[in-house]
Amino acid sequence: MTKRVLIVLQHRDGRLHRMSREAVAAGQKLAAAVGGTASAVLLGAGVGAIAEQAAGYDLEAVRVADDPRLADYTPGGYVGALAPALKSEKPDFVVFPHTYQSVDYTARLAHEVDAALVPEVTGFAVEDGVLVWTRPILGGKLSSRVRVRGEGTVFVSVQSGAFPADGAAAGSARIETLAEAAPAPDREILGVEKAGAEGVDLTKASIVVGVGRGIGGPEKLGPIQDLAKMLGAEIGASRPVIDNDWLPRDRQIGSSGQTVAPKLYLALGISGAIQHLVGMKGSGCVVAINKDPSAPIFSIARYGIVGDLHEIVPALTKALEEAGS
Amino acid sequence: MRIAVCIKQVPDTEARLRLAADGRWIDEDDVAFVINESDAYALEEGLRLAEKTGGEVVVVSLGPARVQEALRKALALGAARAVHLADDAYQGGDAAATARALAAALAREQVDLVLTGAQSDDAGFGATGSLIAGQLGWPHAWLVMGVELDDGGKSARVTREMESGLNEIVRLALPAVIQVQAGINHPRYASLKGIMQAKRKPIATPAPDELGLAAGAIGAAGARLEVLSVAFPEAGAGAEIIAGDPATAARTLVEKLQKEARVL
Ligand SMILES: Cc1cc2nc3c(=O)[nH]c(=O)nc-3n(C[C@H](O)[C@H](O)[C@H](O)COP(=O)(O)OP(=O)(O)OC[C@H]3O[C@@H](n4cnc5c(N)ncnc54)[C@H](O)[C@@H]3O)c2cc1C
Ligand SMILES: Nc1ncnc2c1ncn2[C@@H]1O[C@H](COP(=O)(O)O)[C@@H](O)[C@H]1O
């Protein structure tokens, strides 16, 4: 029987979210692999232009719930909009972009429609007729292969970067109304504020030295600051460094911090969790210094040194001095 | 106010990992286990809210015998009581099976608020808290960086992290499940007095039937997600590792950055 794949699109500032396009690429690939068709669904208020944008992909349909109750995202709004159609149509797969918004409501929706949930997948393969999903565990140090048991709809959310957006095939989809949508907003939205104080703009730096929990404490920053000075670099940090107040929040790099793409990024004592990588993997050249040879940061770095950063950092400053750069 | 905090015990991020013989999980021998990072922040938030309102905190954890250590630590930090879902039947579940068990335990506690971490550092589902909320029929919020009680505890003003450096402030009716993100506060350290007192605090270990749970609904039997294998990321695409003592490696790196990558 033809399998049905539904892709839930997220949008921001009147356009499809970058990760929605990645979800389209994933959903199309999945439909092809399981022998099925892919459609998309779009929720919001006044989203006609975004639906047109989505209709430019090779999809069977773009199904839209355009409703003032969906003007602001709330989990109740989104679950109410999607659950009735999912319950009556029972698609085989629903593909979400793994964004903060999706994570906030997909589990709740899965509960509501009794779907299995495979969060943050990085890939899939049909092995001996069994669909096997790959997802990271332990902060990306390992990956796991999982399968879903039992009948019913399977939800997957796709990790940022796992299914490149340029893999999404263009085409022409019909636009239709999502039936039975009954959004029931369950949060009063009181406002939106900036997370960190205005401060350094790390995106302007051509070299960034990123420090992680592995530096051990704020008292260890001295030699790292010397190195940064020698390089003319700004210092950025992983989240735990900020959470522990070793450096101020405006220096955080990653999914909840700044996104940087300097020509050189030096990662010191950073393991390389995806939430950090999304904030710096566009860098021209990544150098990782970590005492753990299997740290995931090495898989996106061009050069690596395995060892104690407290020994390597001063040596590096000295080597730069000698090289006169 | 009565507050429950769900804490999971996970491998320390510093732990050197080896695969288990069956290839489906890590070999837990010689691995240090700690309270999941965001759960430690959730616990601190719970303790502060309880102190503010003259309430108490109950900590709940599902996991094998080693989890007692994490619960004792939470009791030493100031939780009043603990519930440990230790029975074998609870173990090996996915987020939904685990949430079913936790929700059944929480339903007995008559709490006004459940706090969880945003995400476990091992399984990383980011789903268990929302699924507990689904089970209890309560509102929820994920990735929370601030909680303030309003209306004498009938609702909470919750600050949620969004992407792109923004926070959203929403009002949730209580009872609710609030999924706390690391960095919301600065967790306290246990005092000697706290550690001594913790020894006498109760840890309940209810069996599944006491919570009205059928064996097929929980643990590995109740899970729809089955882990087939785990593996280290594929080598090969990785970095060029520069060998040598620190001075040699540093000199080689500088040379490569200048001549090969041309970024200096
Ligand atoms: C929703 C969400 C959002 C998040 N947002 C962000 C974000 O924006 N940015 C971010 O960075 N993280 C974010 N995180 C956290 C992320 O998942 C990781 O926990 C975090 O990036 C880990 O930081 P780390 O690499 O510094 O620490 P760890 O993972 O603890 O790694 C420390 C590393 O240092 C190494 N090390 C220790 N000592 C030494 C030494 N002496 N010499 C050399 N190496 C040493 C260790 O081998 C280890 O690899 C987020 C998480 C969630 C759930
Ligand atoms: N076995 C468990 N025992 C107690 N709490 C848990 C357990 N598993 C998950 N949780 C809670 O749910 C949160 C999210 O976990 P996860 O869905 O695995 O990312 C964690 O931060 C914990 O607060």
Side-chain angles (χ1 to χ4, degrees), chain A residues 100 104 108 135 138 143 145 147 149 151 187-188 190-191 193 195 213 239 245 291 298 302-304, chain B residues 37 122-123 138 140 142 161 163 165 167 169 171 182 186 220 223-224 226 228-229 231 239-240 242 260:
Chain A
Y100 291 6
D104 189 56
R108 197 67 195 250
R135 59 183 303 275
L138 293 153
S143 70
R145 291 166 61 252
R147 73 172 179 122
R149 297 190 301 200
E151 299 296 304
R187 284 178 189 164
E188 185 190 342
L190 303 172
E193 60 178 28
R213 176 152 42 203
R239 178 158 193 137
D245 272 353
K291 66 175 185 186
F298 286 122
R302 173 149 179 202
Y303 303 113
Chain B
E37 186 168 27
D122 53 357
W138 296 356
H140 76 273
W142 186 71
E161 226 172 57
E163 276 135 358
N167 285 336
I169 301 143
R171 191 191 308 282
H186 294 294
R224 295 200 52 202
E226 183 190 3
L228 302 171
S229 69
E240 176 185 338
I242 298 171
E260 208 173 79

Side-chain angles (χ1 to χ4, degrees), chain A residues 94-313:
Chain A
V94 185
V95 178
F96 301 86
H98 191 77
T99 57
Y100 291 6
Q101 179 174 301
S102 291
V103 177
D104 189 56
Y105 77 92
T106 47
R108 197 67 195 250
L109 182 62
H111 172 83
E112 190 68 26
V113 305
D114 200 19
L117 173 63
V118 195
E120 210 182 350
V121 304
T122 53
F124 63 84
V126 182
E127 300 175 12
D128 299 329
V130 178
L131 189 55
V132 177
W133 303 95
T134 314
R135 59 183 303 275
I137 55 170
L138 293 153
K141 286 191 204 111
L142 299 180
S143 70
S144 71
R145 291 166 61 252
V146 300
R147 73 172 179 122
V148 175
R149 297 190 301 200
E151 299 296 304
T153 302
V154 174
F155 285 12
V156 298
S157 59
V158 295
Q159 189 187 73
S160 173
F163 298 88
D166 54 17
S172 156
R174 65 171 188 273
I175 296 176
E176 59 186 46
T177 301
L178 180 71
E180 304 174 83
D186 55 347
R187 284 178 189 164
E188 185 190 342
I189 295 164
L190 303 172
V192 171
E193 60 178 28
K194 280 199 83 91
E198 299 282 348
V200 275
D201 181 357
L202 299 176
T203 63
K204 298 240 159 60
S206 64
I207 303 181
V208 173
V209 173
V211 298
R213 176 152 42 203
I215 66 166
E219 71 284 359
K220 304 285 179 60
L221 277 165
I224 295 167
Q225 276 153 348
D226 293 343
L227 173 63
K229 208 163 157 203
M230 178 65 78
L231 285 166
E234 283 286 358
I235 293 187
S238 71
R239 178 158 193 137
V241 168
I242 309 293
D243 289 345
N244 284 304
D245 272 353
W246 299 350
L247 283 171
R249 179 95 29 218
D250 58 4
R251 297 208 175 252
Q252 184 174 316
I253 291 171
S255 63
S256 40
Q258 299 192 44
T259 302
V260 300
K263 65 176 183 184
L264 174 61
Y265 187 92
L266 201 60
L268 307 176
I270 291 177
S271 63
I274 180 68
Q275 295 89 356
H276 187 77
L277 299 186
V278 294
M280 46 64 74
K281 68 180 176 185
S283 303
C285 176
V286 174
V287 174
I289 300 177
N290 196 302
K291 66 175 185 186
D292 176 2
S294 62
I297 188 76
F298 286 122
S299 66
I300 67 134
R302 173 149 179 202
Y303 303 113
I305 300 180
V306 178
D308 183 353
L309 71 94
H310 301 301
E311 292 175 12
I312 295 157
V313 164

Side-chain angles (χ1 to χ4, degrees), chain B residues 89-103:
Chain B
Y90 292 122
Q91 315 303 320
D94 58 5
T98 298
R100 239 172 257 128
L102 290 170

Side-chain angles (χ1 to χ4, degrees), chain B residues 119-137:
Chain B
Q119 188 158 314
S120 62
D121 294 331
D122 53 357
F125 293 128
T128 307
S130 299
L131 291 164
I132 291 170
Q135 290 285 340
L136 297 172

